[in-house]
């Protein structure tokens, strides 16, 4: 029997690439997303290319009242969970519209914590499994042009750090992924620097390689570690005057 991986936010571009890699390596997939039937063509292609089973789950990470039932129905079959759900708002719109800010918080943090708490309890009890959480370099320091999004990713990063420490002695691997900008549906319409912007395939390969090597935290592409190391050490009296994109 193949090991099974649950991907939350399975319609994201990075999630799709991760699904391809895990499927190629023989993992069965549970794909959870809103309007999950939109993945039918993608699923058919994966099944043709790989001898695996794939299950679809209609899932809205903000509907916390549904999380327990969903997890209880599948938890015995799941070896690992990948959190790929995320929401990137327009900063200026979020500043003026509380509903946009609240949705950002609920997707990127509240909903994520709700579901991963359930996963953590199950994995801790059976003393096996892995959790991969996709955060962002935006969470390393608040910047004027995306601090609402960045603050939710900072919270997620802190949560995953604590979860990693909690589950270490239970043989559960928790990995935090911090991508820089990536060409995805989520970043369409943004002006991105091509010199520091990755493609989903590259990010997914980095994540899978780090998972195999049981890394705790990765920046992807790797040069973002250096960029953020420098960024985090710029004095505040200078940083607040800067525009860093």
């Amino acid at each position: 029997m193949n090991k099974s991986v649950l991907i939350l936010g399975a319609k994201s571009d990075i999630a799709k690439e991760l699904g391809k890699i895990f499927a190629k390596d023989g993992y069965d997939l549970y794909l959870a997303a809103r309007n999950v039937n939109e993945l039918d063509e993608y699923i058919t292609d994966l099944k043709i290319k790989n001898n695996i089973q794939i299950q679809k789950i209609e899932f809205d990470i903000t509907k916390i009242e549904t999380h327990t039932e969903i997890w209880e129905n599948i938890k015995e079959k799941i070896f690992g969970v990948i959190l790929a759900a995320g929401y990137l708002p327009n900063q200026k719109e979020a500043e003026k519209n509380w509903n946009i800010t609240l949705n950002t918080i609920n997707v990127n943090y509240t909903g994520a914590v709700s579901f991963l708490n359930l996963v953590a309890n199950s994995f801790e009890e059976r003393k096996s499994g892995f959790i991969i959480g996709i955060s962002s370099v935006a969470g390393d320091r608040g910047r004027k042009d995306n601090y609402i999004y960045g603050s939710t990713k900072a919270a997620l990063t802190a949560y995953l750090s604590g979860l990693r420490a909690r589950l270490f002695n239970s043989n559960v691997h928790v990995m935090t992924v911090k991508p820089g900008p990536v060409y995805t549906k989520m970043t369409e319409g943004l002006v991105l620097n091509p010199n520091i912007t990755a493609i989903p395939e590259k990010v997914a390969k980095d994540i899978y390689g780090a998972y195999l090597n049981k890394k705790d935290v990765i920046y992807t592409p790797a040069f973002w570690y250096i960029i953020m190391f420098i960024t985090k050490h710029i004095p505040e009296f200078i940083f607040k005057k800067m525009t860093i994109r």
Side-chain angles (χ1 to χ4, degrees):
M1 181 182 296
N2 296 337
K3 291 181 178 179
S4 296
V5 175
L6 169 64
I7 303 179
L8 305 172
K11 290 197 303 180
S12 80
D13 294 304
I14 295 173
K16 284 183 174 180
E17 294 302 324
L18 281 169
K20 292 177 184 177
I21 296 173
F22 274 90
K24 186 176 181 180
D25 205 21
Y27 286 81
D28 290 332
L29 303 179
Y30 284 74
L31 304 180
R34 292 184 302 166
N35 303 314
V36 72
N37 288 337
E38 294 176 8
L39 288 172
D40 283 351
E41 185 176 340
Y42 166 78
I43 290 171
T44 299
D45 183 63
L46 285 185
K47 286 183 175 180
I48 290 172
K49 294 178 179 177
N50 307 279
N51 183 29
I52 62 167
Q53 299 296 315
I54 302 177
Q55 299 291 328
K56 298 182 297 182
I57 301 171
E58 188 64 32
F59 176 73
D60 185 337
I61 200 166
T62 66
K63 293 184 178 179
I64 293 172
E65 67 278 6
T66 68
H67 290 184
T68 298
E69 181 178 0
I70 289 172
W71 180 243
E72 288 295 322
N73 286 336
I74 63 173
K75 67 179 183 179
E76 299 302 328
K77 305 169 186 175
I78 304 299
F79 178 70
V81 174
I82 300 171
L83 172 68
Y87 176 65
L88 175 64
N90 177 289
Q91 172 69 29
K92 292 300 182 184
E93 292 178 359
E95 290 170 6
K96 298 174 182 177
N97 187 330
W98 170 244
N99 288 330
I100 295 175
T101 294
L102 183 60
N103 188 54
T104 307
I105 296 168
N106 287 340
V107 173
N108 295 342
Y109 185 67
T110 310
V113 170
S114 168
F115 201 90
L116 291 184
N117 275 354
L118 298 170
V119 175
N121 292 338
S122 296
F123 286 3
E124 184 176 43
E125 182 178 354
R126 75 184 193 201
K127 299 190 181 304
S128 66
F130 72 86
I131 296 169
I132 297 174
I134 300 181
S135 186
S136 171
V137 297
D140 278 11
R141 190 165 191 180
R143 296 181 289 127
K144 66 178 75 174
D145 63 345
N146 74 345
Y147 65 84
I148 290 176
Y149 171 77
S151 65
T152 63
K153 291 300 187 178
L156 179 62
T157 294
Y159 171 81
L160 291 170
S161 177
L163 196 63
R164 179 163 44 251
R166 168 192 163 190
L167 297 179
F168 173 73
N169 289 327
S170 298
N171 193 38
V172 179
H173 177 218
V174 178
M175 185 170 77
T176 304
V177 180
K178 297 183 179 182
V182 184
Y183 289 115
T184 64
K185 294 188 293 291
M186 193 167 71
T187 59
E188 283 180 0
L190 299 181
V191 179
L192 302 174
N193 183 339
N195 295 317
I196 57 173
T197 304
I199 59 174
E201 293 89 341
K202 162 64 175 171
V203 173
K205 287 179 181 178
D206 285 351
I207 293 171
Y208 192 69
Y211 156 68
L212 293 178
N213 288 292
K214 291 192 175 295
K215 299 290 187 181
D216 293 326
V217 181
I218 67 160
Y219 287 81
T220 173
F223 58 73
W224 274 100
Y225 173 82
I226 298 172
I227 293 174
M228 295 315 300
F229 180 85
I230 294 170
T231 300
K232 288 188 290 186
H233 287 84
I234 298 172
E236 193 71 17
F237 74 91
I238 296 174
F239 188 79
K240 67 184 181 181
K241 301 175 185 177
M242 299 172 64
T243 301
I244 300 177
R245 297 187 178 275

